[in-house]
Amino acid sequence: MRKNETANARQVGGSHYTKLAIQPWDYVAANGLGFFEGNAITYLTRHKSKGGVDDLRKAVHFIEKLIEIETQEQGK
């Protein structure tokens, strides 16, 4: 990274995030979301510009795992 360049100003492997009004990692950080929520949001955000239906499936997979964790923690 160059001096005075922010991580948001560049993207490794494409430009599907740098074109957005709000990058997924900024949304995740601002809202204090965890790993599973963050990944689901990332895949949902990029599905139209990168991975299509596969990205939607990945988002669902992260949500399914989060549901498993939450239900185990609640003893259900």
Side-chain angles (χ1 to χ4, degrees), residues 23-48:
Q23 291 195 31
W25 61 14
D26 289 330
Y27 178 84
V28 170
N31 290 285
L33 301 177
F35 178 79
F36 296 101
E37 295 96 335
N39 278 289
I41 287 168
T42 297
Y43 284 119
L44 287 170
T45 302
R46 75 179 208 182
H47 84 278
K48 288 183 181 178

Side-chain angles (χ1 to χ4, degrees), residues 5-26:
E5 180 184 46
T6 66
N8 280 13
R10 66 180 179 88
Q11 179 182 330
V12 177
S15 61
H16 46 278
Y17 299 128
T18 57
K19 294 178 181 179
L20 299 172
I22 301 169
Q23 291 195 31
W25 61 14
D26 289 330

